[in-house]
């Protein structure tokens, strides 16, 4: 038994020292990265396992041995999890998800707690001695979990070997497969006692596996971060990438190239860029032109080429940009070329859609321009009509009054000088007032609401002007406290103004009656004169202007000469 303890201690110690030496070399030589630290973490647990194994075999009592068994099982319980996490990171270049990490660390923690509390339940070990341990059923639960974690890790590692089989030599394959088999076989022999070796060689075999893995990684740069990430970076680029050397041999390509060519099996066989061109030849539109451009760029040693082409992919035509660029080292020497094949089908589709929409927009712009021209012409015509009505109403009123005053002056020439001066002054004031009112109307239009009493005052001043010509005007109204819009005010005022002008100018009226009244949210206006009247009313600019103003306000207007005598006007404007 002492010989077994001696050999176990010797081999555990030797394995530990070898592991320390290898890890020291890795730490000093390798690039510092998460991948290296995770590898060293796995090695650290293995060293703890080996060190505790040595101490278990060299302590004087079983009680002391139990303490080192507990320490040993820190490494034993967590090694499978840490080994899986290292391999997972090596394959995916990221840690497992948060929930997976809780699971894979949670179960080893439960297993370790079962070891720690074993003396209360003896479910993990039924007995622990310096020479040999007896296991309870929870030990096999722990062992099953560890086997599962190691098996998953081996599966991921095998997947890495398959995915990178073109980069791994047969020597690397042999070393890796040997390293994978050793710890599994050793642990099965120990747990099920298939061969009496005398001590547990599982940690030594795992240490050999990690040493082999580390040697291959260091010797063949298998753990080099650049090597690990190169394929990942190329795979994450959303464009086809082909890297070739100066002899036109393809050094690297990504999965997009396989999707473009739709020929995974043939793509495995190609070695040069010419082989690749032959595979895609039938699918490219105007292939000869593209081939000539590529050949000219390569043969003439040009720095770069950029051209568009169309190719059929999955029975649909796609548009691509081919970019061919030199790879130049620090000595300015050309060491190869990079082919970039960029799918611009969506961009082309969007561009065509944008061009179609631009065409539609140009049509709409032309229609809008035509509409604006017509609107401008209508606005000009409307303004001309407004000005025409203002000139007719204001100057017509002023001129009619002045003519009436001058007629009265004609009969008093040489008789009544004071009368002539008065009428001449009144005529001058009327003409000046008319021009001022016309100028005010041309420059601006009032927008604010106007009090009804202001309308009454303005109509009274208008009536006073007409009474100077000898006409009698009776004005009936009732003052109130509400406001009129400018449009209603202007309509009522101009209708009265035009009615007075027509009564004096065309009807020779002597008496005129104006009545304005507020009835049910409307302004009701009635104007009656005793002029000559007319059997048939012929609408001039004045009456047409009245109709337009009333129609614009959605009101009501009627006029005529009952029995052919006098003239009356009735207008109703909503407010």
């Amino acid at each position: 038994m002492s010989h077994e303890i001696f050999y176990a201690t010797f081999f555990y110690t030797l394995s530990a020292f070898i592991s320390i030496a290898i890890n020291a070399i890795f730490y000093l030589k390798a690039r510092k990265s998460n991948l290296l630290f995770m590898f060293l973490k796995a090695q650290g647990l293995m060293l703890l396992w080996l060190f505790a194994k040595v101490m278990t075999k060299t302590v004087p009592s079983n009680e002391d041995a139990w303490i080192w068994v507990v320490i040993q099982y820190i490494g034993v319980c967590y090694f499978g999890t840490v080994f899986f996490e290292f391999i997972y990171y090596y394959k995916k270049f990221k840690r497992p998800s948060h929930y997976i990490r809780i699971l894979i660390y949670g179960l080893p923690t439960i297993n370790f707690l079962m070891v720690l509390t074993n003396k209360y339940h003896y479910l993990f070990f039924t007995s622990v001695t310096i020479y040999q341990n007896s296991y309870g059923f929870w030990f096999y639960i722990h062992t099953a979990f560890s086997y599962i974690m190691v098996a998953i890790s081996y599966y991921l590692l095998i997947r890495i070997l398959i995915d990178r089989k073109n980069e791994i030599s047969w020597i690397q394959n042999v070393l890796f497969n040997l390293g994978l088999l050793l710890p599994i076989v050793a642990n099965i022999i120990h747990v099920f006692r298939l061969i009496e070796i005398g001590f547990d060689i599982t940690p030594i075999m795992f240490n050999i596996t990690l040493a082999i893995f580390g040697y291959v990684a260091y010797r063949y740069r298998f753990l080099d971060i650049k090597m690990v990430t190169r394929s990942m970076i190329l795979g994450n680029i959303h464009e086809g990438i082909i890297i070739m050397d100066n002899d036109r041999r393809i050094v690297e390509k990504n999965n997009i190239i396989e999707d473009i060519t739709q020929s995974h099996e043939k793509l495995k066989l190609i070695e040069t860029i010419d082989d690749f061109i032959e595979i895609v030849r039938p699918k490219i539109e105007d292939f000869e032109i593209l081939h000539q451009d590529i050949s000219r760029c390569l043969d003439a040693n040009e720095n770069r080429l950029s051209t568009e082409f169309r190719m059929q992919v999955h029975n649909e035509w796609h548009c691509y940009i081919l970019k061919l660029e030199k790879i130049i080292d620090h000595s300015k020497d050309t060491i190869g070329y990079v082919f970039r094949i960029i799918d611009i089908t969506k961009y082309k589709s969007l561009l065509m859609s944008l061009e179609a929409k631009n065409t539609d927009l140009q049509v709409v712009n032309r229609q809008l321009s035509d509409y604006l021209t017509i609107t401008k012409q209508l606005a000009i015509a409307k303004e001309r009509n407004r000005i025409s009505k203002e000139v007719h109403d204001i100057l017509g009123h002023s001129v009619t009054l002045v003519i009436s005053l001058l007629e009265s002056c004609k009969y008093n020439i040489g008789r009544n000088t004071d009368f002539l001066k008065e009428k001449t002054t009144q005529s001058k004031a009327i003409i000046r007032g008319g021009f001022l009112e016309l100028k005010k109307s041309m420059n601006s239009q009032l927008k604010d609401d106007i009090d009804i009493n202001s309308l009454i005052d303005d109509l009274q001043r208008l009536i006073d002007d007409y009474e100077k010509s000898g006409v009698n005007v009776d004005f009936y109204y009732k003052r109130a406290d509400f406001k009129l819009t400018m449009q209603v005010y202007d309509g009522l005022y101009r209708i009265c103004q035009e009615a007075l002008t027509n009564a004096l100018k065309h009807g020779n009226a002597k008496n005129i009656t104006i009545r304005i009244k507020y009835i049910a949210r409307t302004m009701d206006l009635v104007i009656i004169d005793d002029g000559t009247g007319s059997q048939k009313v012929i609408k001039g600019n004045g009456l047409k202007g009245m109709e337009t103003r009333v129609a614009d306000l959605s009101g009501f207007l009627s006029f005529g000469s009952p029995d052919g005598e006098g003239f009356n006007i009735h207008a109703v404007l909503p407010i």
Side-chain angles (χ1 to χ4, degrees), residues 92-93 229-239 241 254-256:
K92 305 285 188 178
F93 211 66
T229 57
R230 184 177 65 187
S231 297
M232 183 177 296
I233 293 172
L234 288 177
N236 288 332
I237 296 176
H238 299 292
E239 57 187 53
I241 300 291
N254 64 357
N255 294 332
I256 303 296

Side-chain angles (χ1 to χ4, degrees), residues 173-394:
N173 264 313
V174 170
L175 290 174
F176 268 117
N177 288 314
L178 180 61
L180 294 177
L181 289 175
L182 286 176
I184 296 294
V185 173
N187 192 255
I188 292 174
I189 290 173
H190 170 71
V191 171
F192 297 100
R193 295 187 173 92
L194 300 179
I195 300 175
E196 289 296 333
I197 298 176
F199 59 92
D200 183 8
I201 62 172
T202 303
I204 297 175
M205 293 299 103
F206 267 120
N207 210 25
I208 292 174
T209 295
L210 289 173
I212 291 173
F213 190 87
Y215 169 75
V216 174
Y218 180 74
R219 175 67 178 81
Y220 297 100
R221 300 179 65 198
F222 198 56
L223 265 181
D224 190 342
I225 192 68
K226 296 179 181 178
M227 297 284 287
V228 173
T229 57
R230 184 177 65 187
S231 297
M232 183 177 296
I233 293 172
L234 288 177
N236 288 332
I237 296 176
H238 299 292
E239 57 187 53
I241 300 291
I242 297 178
I243 301 174
M244 70 175 193
D245 60 18
N246 280 334
D247 296 324
R248 302 193 181 186
R249 288 195 302 266
I250 294 177
V251 177
E252 190 67 74
K253 57 185 178 296
N254 64 357
N255 294 332
I256 303 296
I257 296 298
E258 296 180 5
D259 186 61
I260 290 174
T261 57
Q262 305 172 63
S263 181
H264 181 71
E265 295 302 323
K266 289 184 179 179
L267 206 59
K268 290 181 180 179
L269 303 176
I270 67 172
E271 295 183 358
T272 67
I273 193 64
D274 296 317
D275 297 335
F276 172 75
I277 291 173
E278 286 302 315
I279 290 177
V280 298
R281 174 195 288 269
K283 303 174 183 179
I284 296 179
E285 185 179 66
D286 298 327
F287 170 80
E288 294 301 329
I289 297 176
L290 178 64
H291 191 220
Q292 289 174 7
D293 291 339
I294 295 173
S295 299
R296 184 176 63 254
C297 179
L298 295 176
D299 295 340
N301 201 25
E302 297 179 1
N303 286 332
R304 61 177 53 88
L305 166 69
S306 181
T307 185
E308 291 187 19
F309 68 96
R310 295 178 74 235
M311 185 167 71
Q312 196 172 28
V313 178
H314 301 300
N315 298 321
E316 294 182 357
W317 285 101
H318 287 240
C319 296
Y320 292 93
I321 290 180
L322 170 65
K323 289 184 176 290
L324 177 57
E325 300 176 2
K326 276 185 180 181
I327 303 174
I328 300 174
D329 64 7
H330 64 278
S331 302
K332 306 299 181 181
D333 295 328
T334 302
I335 59 174
Y337 287 87
V338 175
F339 277 77
R340 298 171 54 202
I341 302 176
I342 306 167
D343 191 343
I344 58 169
T345 306
K346 291 183 179 179
Y347 165 76
K348 282 287 188 180
S349 177
L350 289 174
L351 186 61
M352 292 175 62
S353 176
L354 182 61
E355 289 176 351
K357 289 180 179 179
N358 282 339
T359 302
D360 294 339
L361 186 59
Q362 290 175 358
V363 173
V364 172
N365 283 338
R366 285 196 296 269
Q367 293 174 346
L368 183 60
S369 178
D370 294 341
Y371 171 76
L372 290 175
T373 300
I374 294 172
T375 302
K376 182 178 179 181
Q377 292 173 350
L378 290 174
I380 292 172
K382 185 177 180 179
E383 184 64 12
R384 284 175 178 171
N385 290 336
R386 187 188 73 82
I387 293 173
S388 175
K389 287 189 294 183
E390 296 293 332
V391 170
H392 177 273
D393 291 343
I394 296 171

Side-chain angles (χ1 to χ4, degrees), residues 46-99:
M46 185 56 60
L47 286 174
L48 180 63
W49 187 351
L50 289 170
F51 179 72
K53 275 283 189 183
V54 171
M55 297 304 297
T56 302
K57 298 299 182 183
T58 57
V59 294
S61 65
N62 291 337
E63 288 75 14
D64 293 334
W66 168 247
I67 295 174
W68 288 106
V69 166
V70 172
I71 296 173
Q72 168 192 331
Y73 268 81
I74 296 174
V76 174
C77 290
Y78 288 100
F79 178 77
T81 295
V82 172
F83 186 61
F84 163 77
E85 193 175 25
F86 164 67
I87 299 300
Y88 185 93
Y89 191 90
Y90 181 69
K91 178 173 175 57
K92 305 285 188 178
F93 211 66
K94 64 179 181 180
R95 295 180 184 272
S97 69
H98 179 69
Y99 296 107

Side-chain angles (χ1 to χ4, degrees), residues 471 501-512 529-533:
V471 178
T501 300
N502 288 343
L504 183 61
K505 180 179 178 181
H506 302 296
N508 297 316
K510 299 300 181 182
N511 297 289
I512 303 172
D529 68 56
D530 60 354
T532 56

